[in-house]
Amino acid sequence: MTGPTPKPRPPKPGPRVLAPDDPAIVAAPPPREDAAVAETPTADGHRFAKGQTRSGLRLGALALIAAGSLILAGLAVDTVWTIEAMIARAPLIGWPMAGLAALLLAALAGLAAREVAALARLDRLTGLQATARSAVATPAADTAEATLAGLERLYAGRADLAWALGRYRERREDAVDPLDRLALFEAEVLVPLDRRAVDAVAKSAGTTAVFTTLSPFVAVDMVVTGWRNLRLVREIAVLYGGRPGLAGAVAVIRRIVVSIALTGGLEASDGVIGQTLGGGLAGRVSARLGQGVVNGLLTARIGLGAITSVRPMPFVRARPARLADMGRAIAERLSLRLSAAERTGDR
Amino acid sequence: MTGRPAATGMAAADPAGLADRLARLGDTTRDLARAAFEDTVRIGVTGLSRAGKTVFLTSLVHNLIHGGRLAALSAAAEGRLIAAMLRPQPDPAMPRFDYEAHLAALAGDPPAWPDSTRRSSQLRLSLSYRPGNFLVRQFRGQAVLNLDLVDYPGEWLFDLALLGQSYADWSAEVLADCRRPPRARLAADWVALVDATNAGAAADDATMRQAAAAYTAYLTAARDAGTGLSRLGPGRFVSPGELAGSPMLAFAPLALPTGGRARRGSLWAAMQDRYDLYRDRVVRPFFRDHFARIDRQIVLVDVLTALNHGQAAVADLGAGLNRLLKAFRPGRNSLLSALTGRRVETVVFAATKADHLPADQHDRLADLLRRLLFERINQAAFQGAAVSTLALAALRATRQTRARLDGAMVECLTGHTLADGREVVAWPGEIPARPQDIPADGGTLVDIRAFRPPPGAPGDARGMAHLRLDHALDRLIGDRLA
Ligand SMILES: Nc1nc2c(ncn2[C@@H]2O[C@H](COP(=O)(O)OP(=O)(O)OP(=O)(O)O)[C@@H](O)[C@H]2O)c(=O)[nH]1
Ligand SMILES: [Mg+2]
């Protein structure tokens, strides 16, 4: 017979039938509000990702930081001295100046606090992502429930998602398997968000492409494109519940750029460029047009990267948008604008 | 492989097999022509008596028509499933599956399960969908897939086991079973009669009919005694359909000397002729019309009821299914399939009525089924068919509730009892993980409650509540809706 070595699971009780009001029956468990989710920002996956980006800070960065701090310190010391001197010589000018300086300090502190808060919110999203990723990879009832409770809380106050959340709650009992539950949340709540995000990316990519093609100054369109990309990333993060500040958006972009670099840069999109320019446009390829498409695709890539990086759950059953889909959107916008430009140019 | 592989299997042994093959060839050509406009999938819903075929078909149709609970069917989840409609079936000579009547029974007050099926019937459900593939969409923006479905009394299915058996083999097997418990008690009268009969005596009609009547009495008693035994055939003896009273059913197993041969004019020879007639005129056409041409198969197995009856019932179920499933030829189709006969490309093995068990035990249930049918599952996978196993409930009659029993927190089921419609919370116990752990009398461990259909089941505009029916559908036809 089996020895006592592996402690056996306590045997489950024998079959039994209870009346619906039997005290043994426990009320349906409310969506768990325990610590599992609150703690997740420190989940391993996240720390690892953070470490990866931070490791880039080497000697050069140290030098830059030191130089910047020196200049700032110099400025600060200078300001303090100037104000002190002013107070001594002409208090009527000196005191208001001191007040202004204090105001400046307070505003700076406020800005910093807001950035920190925004980063924390982004952190929460990233933490939720880590839980969700493990729940999807190895579906177990408890991690799935923790993920879903976290997601519901993340979107609880969103008026634009109230209806979708309602539908999800109405249907959640349909699914009994953890993965099915996650997929249900995805289908009801995240897929509509995905659609909005992809729309934003397509629009932004198209605009970038058109702008680059038509703008006469390379330097200008580089700056504008950069700014536009930043805004796109922010918009997407806000959409998924991240509300990042400037630093957050930059962090997200950095993560995306790293991942693009890791997956082989823009080469992969060469095929897409040909596809994008196929048909009637091919004959009119000019250097500017090529540049426009490349910039548009870069924006699309950054946008899609932003989606993957801030979406609180990996794609379970929904299909993530691909660069090729974006290529089509860009081509449509380009041909629309170019033929319009052509027509006006002809006349 | 050689030019003519063991493709037609047991059918190759006799001339009837050739006719089968020609019929199949004709079908293939017709299908090719039709495929240009519409695609058709023949789904073989395979299940013994009370396995849940009728409920499965009803729920399948209802859910595809309403479409609100098919999250795991990729075409539906991607919003590509446009509409589903019942359309005229391909064979107008056959009765139509009475979907509306079954629905009415489920929606009745009190709600009732559909009656046990008495004859075979057919149904065609047409799905209109948007192809997911970009290239295909350029040719056909909207495509149609016909599902051809058949319902029949589960008893008849068991006859497929006869296709590979001679009269002598069959007799020996049945008799050996009937001399052992748990059948010995039920079959005592008939076995006594067999022992008193001389197989070599001259054949006479009265003796044959008497033997058949005694054998039928045993089969009916075994079915109604609630023993959970599944190997009770031939199927037409218990559920004769249009064959009631036919002389084709006037035969029964005999105690035969091993290695002997039937003498002309003997009882043995006469019985053997009837058996062959039954096999060739009843079983083979049934197989040919409903199963020889299926593309996809779902095998519904009521593991839970067998579990409830204990070890012997489970073993009986496993043995019976393993034998009869040999009639099917799973595997991948190639261009040659038009000549050699089509193979069943996808087989889904499903443990039905999973709503009698809380979800945290469904993996165990599926695992038990996998072990029970290991031989067939393994063989199908080896031949290249896409094989999968799952636990499902075509119509979910329970909700899950938690209770603390003897200090342990367990997932229970809330539902209405079949007997009086009272609402109860049932803890069905924990099903054993391995077949050898199943207790002899089942009941001490598992008490699978029979529940009524949930009130207002078909009233829901989203489709009937179910468990994993959408998964089963995705595995069955998901690729054809791609
Ligand atoms: N709770 C529950 N019970 C089911 C389900 N499916 C079938 N049953 C029960 O099983 C019984 C038999 O189901 P049917 O669909 O009639 O079985 P069948 O395979 O058509 O049986 P035959 O027609 O006799 O061959 C039903 O009367 C129900 O009591 C299910 O999904 N859930
Ligand atoms: Mg039936």
Side-chain angles (χ1 to χ4, degrees):
Chain A
M1 288 301 288
T2 46
T5 16
K7 182 138 186 353
R9 214 157 45 100
K12 290 279 171 76
R16 194 169 316 182
V17 178
L18 315 169
D21 52 0
D22 196 292
I25 295 167
V26 183
R32 224 165 308 165
E33 293 277 337
D34 56 44
V37 181
E39 280 168 8
T40 42
T42 57
D44 283 348
H46 180 226
R47 227 187 238 146
F48 177 66
K50 225 176 187 173
Q52 239 180 3
T53 47
R54 291 287 181 273
S55 69
L57 294 176
R58 295 265 156 71
L59 282 178
L62 200 66
L64 263 180
I65 289 173
S69 310
L70 264 181
I71 293 174
L72 276 181
L75 264 176
V77 169
D78 219 45
T79 314
V80 171
W81 279 353
T82 315
I83 291 176
E84 246 177 23
M86 259 311 173
I87 288 174
R89 226 185 297 157
L92 269 184
I93 302 174
W95 282 114
M97 263 177 86
L100 283 178
L103 216 62
L104 177 68
L105 264 184
L108 279 180
L111 270 181
R114 210 157 68 190
E115 282 297 313
V116 167
L119 274 178
R121 267 195 301 265
L122 201 62
D123 252 18
R124 183 169 144 211
L125 198 65
T126 332
L128 198 52
Q129 262 175 340
T131 328
R133 210 174 303 124
S134 79
V136 171
T138 46
D142 50 348
T143 44
E145 288 313 313
T147 305
L148 289 170
L151 285 169
E152 274 196 71
R153 230 165 337 134
L154 178 66
Y155 294 141
R158 292 263 301 254
D160 58 335
L161 292 179
W163 192 72
L165 275 174
R167 261 174 72 103
Y168 160 71
R169 292 207 185 97
E170 182 198 353
R171 274 147 212 246
R172 55 179 290 151
E173 290 309 317
D174 283 3
V176 289
D177 294 332
L179 199 61
D180 280 354
R181 285 246 165 114
L182 294 170
L184 187 70
F185 189 91
E186 175 180 60
E188 297 298 343
V189 184
L190 292 182
V191 165
L193 283 181
D194 291 341
R195 212 167 294 137
R196 281 160 67 184
V198 168
D199 276 352
V201 175
K203 215 159 87 191
S204 206
T207 317
T208 305
V210 170
F211 183 78
T212 311
T213 309
L214 298 183
S215 113
F217 308 111
V218 178
V220 172
D221 66 53
M222 264 175 64
V223 170
V224 171
T225 302
W227 174 74
R228 203 184 285 286
N229 290 348
L230 205 66
R231 224 181 50 173
L232 174 65
V233 169
R234 231 185 99 94
E235 188 184 341
I236 289 172
V238 168
L239 198 57
Y240 284 106
R243 286 181 284 167
L246 186 66
V250 169
V252 171
I253 286 207
R254 209 158 57 180
R255 230 184 303 167
I256 299 164
V257 169
V258 166
S259 90
I260 290 180
L262 285 179
T263 54
L266 272 178
E267 290 154 68
S269 52
D270 287 351
V272 184
I273 297 181
Q275 219 172 300
T276 310
L277 293 179
L281 272 176
R284 284 183 271 156
V285 175
S286 69
R288 289 305 290 162
L289 185 55
Q291 193 55 45
V293 172
V294 168
N295 273 1
L297 283 174
L298 183 65
T299 301
R301 239 190 141 145
I302 288 179
L304 295 185
I307 294 179
T308 336
S309 120
V310 299
R311 195 181 196 257
M313 185 160 77
F315 287 88
V316 185
R317 295 220 178 98
R319 191 185 73 105
R322 283 184 297 243
L323 200 57
D325 306 335
M326 298 290 110
R328 228 167 293 141
I330 294 174
E332 265 161 33
R333 276 188 165 246
L334 262 180
S335 61
L336 214 72
R337 280 306 300 266
L338 290 185
S339 50
E342 215 167 62
R343 245 179 285 127
T344 46
D346 283 350
R347 278 172 202 164
Chain B
M1 292 288 281
T2 50
R4 277 179 55 199
T8 33
M10 50 200 74
D14 66 315
L18 186 65
D20 285 2
R21 228 174 320 155
L22 284 178
R24 254 182 256 147
L25 185 59
D27 278 343
T28 314
T29 354
R30 216 173 317 128
D31 279 3
L32 281 179
R34 208 182 313 138
F37 308 98
E38 291 183 1
D39 203 5
T40 300
V41 184
R42 290 196 184 83
I43 299 182
V45 178
T46 318
L48 292 173
S49 165
R50 314 310 287 152
K53 298 177 294 296
T54 305
V55 175
F56 176 81
L57 286 171
T58 308
S59 177
L60 180 151
V61 172
H62 195 266
N63 267 297
L64 279 172
I65 289 179
H66 290 84
R69 290 185 201 259
L70 297 175
L73 175 63
S74 39
E78 287 158 19
R80 296 190 287 104
L81 200 58
I82 301 167
M85 231 172 66
L86 293 173
R87 291 216 299 198
Q89 65 207 45
D91 178 3
M94 231 171 114
R96 179 175 169 280
F97 177 71
D98 206 347
Y99 169 67
E100 291 78 8
H102 300 319
L103 214 55
L106 290 171
D109 185 24
W113 298 100
D115 286 334
S116 186
T117 310
R118 298 263 144 263
R119 52 176 196 179
S120 53
S121 58
Q122 202 179 36
L123 189 73
R124 168 169 283 190
L125 181 67
S126 296
L127 309 179
S128 134
Y129 67 100
R130 253 188 304 280
N133 184 311
F134 176 72
L135 279 179
V136 177
R137 217 164 31 220
Q138 305 311 304
F139 295 109
R140 304 191 294 179
Q142 188 168 335
V144 172
L145 179 69
N146 297 317
L147 304 186
D148 282 351
L149 306 157
V150 175
D151 192 27
Y152 53 90
E155 288 94 354
W156 297 3
L157 184 77
F158 187 69
D159 285 350
L160 301 192
L162 303 184
L163 285 176
Q165 266 183 322
S166 71
Y167 175 67
D169 291 346
W170 177 66
S171 278
E173 186 185 301
V174 171
L175 258 176
D177 275 342
C178 286
R179 291 188 200 280
R180 276 199 306 260
R183 285 182 161 83
R185 192 170 45 81
L186 297 156
D189 289 347
W190 172 68
V191 172
L193 182 74
V194 171
D195 286 339
T197 312
N198 177 7
D204 93 89
D205 207 47
T207 321
M208 291 176 75
R209 257 184 290 141
Q210 194 192 354
Y215 183 62
T216 310
Y218 144 66
L219 291 177
T220 326
R223 185 193 58 184
D224 298 339
T227 51
L229 295 174
S230 15
R231 289 186 303 145
L232 299 173
R236 301 281 177 151
F237 282 44
V238 256
S239 180
E242 71 284 2
L243 286 183
S246 156
M248 239 189 305
L249 301 186
F251 69 96
L254 286 174
L256 304 174
T258 43
R261 284 196 55 217
R263 220 166 19 81
R264 277 178 55 138
S266 67
L267 191 58
W268 180 354
M271 290 278 201
Q272 184 164 311
D273 285 348
R274 291 266 168 89
Y275 174 86
D276 290 348
L277 199 65
Y278 180 81
R279 194 182 58 188
D280 296 338
R281 292 277 187 81
V282 179
V283 185
R284 211 180 294 288
F286 173 64
F287 181 71
R288 188 180 55 216
D289 294 345
H290 300 323
F291 296 112
R293 297 172 293 169
I294 59 174
D295 310 287
R296 308 284 160 104
Q297 183 178 27
I298 179 159
V299 181
L300 302 177
V301 187
D302 184 3
V303 183
L304 286 175
T305 303
L307 262 181
N308 225 13
H309 285 109
Q311 183 110 53
V314 176
D316 206 58
L317 179 67
L321 281 170
N322 272 314
R323 152 79 46 84
L324 77 88
L325 288 175
K326 277 189 189 155
F328 297 94
R329 301 184 315 112
R332 226 193 316 257
N333 278 318
S334 64
L335 283 176
L336 274 182
S337 302
L339 294 171
T340 59
R342 254 196 309 224
R343 288 176 173 271
V344 186
E345 312 152 310
T346 304
V347 190
V348 178
F349 293 91
T352 52
K353 312 183 191 178
D355 58 332
H356 286 90
L357 215 55
D360 54 357
Q361 293 189 47
H362 288 178
D363 281 348
R364 265 188 185 207
L365 182 62
D367 204 45
L368 217 50
L369 176 65
R370 232 179 329 262
R371 287 165 189 253
L372 207 59
L373 298 183
F374 178 75
E375 251 179 82
R376 296 274 79 81
I377 292 176
N378 205 23
Q379 190 227 352
F382 184 83
Q383 305 280 359
V387 184
S388 51
T389 334
L390 51 77
L392 66 76
L395 178 52
R396 187 179 181 184
T398 63
R399 278 172 295 122
Q400 228 159 285
T401 320
R402 275 190 185 187
R404 185 179 292 282
L405 298 179
D406 305 345
M409 190 67 99
V410 289
E411 296 285 341
C412 297
L413 304 165
T414 310
H416 300 267
T417 57
L418 191 59
D420 53 7
R422 215 161 25 98
E423 190 178 59
V424 293
V425 176
W427 157 243
E430 197 169 33
I431 62 167
R434 301 175 308 167
Q436 58 265 43
D437 296 340
I438 302 168
D441 61 346
T444 56
L445 190 58
V446 202
D447 180 10
I448 306 296
R449 297 275 131 190
F451 292 102
R452 243 183 214 183
D460 194 330
R462 292 202 282 132
M464 289 182 192
H466 63 80
L467 288 174
R468 300 196 195 86
L469 179 76
D470 51 347
H471 283 273
L473 276 173
D474 192 53
R475 291 173 201 188
L476 278 176
I477 56 169
D479 60 332
R480 300 293 282 267
L481 294 172

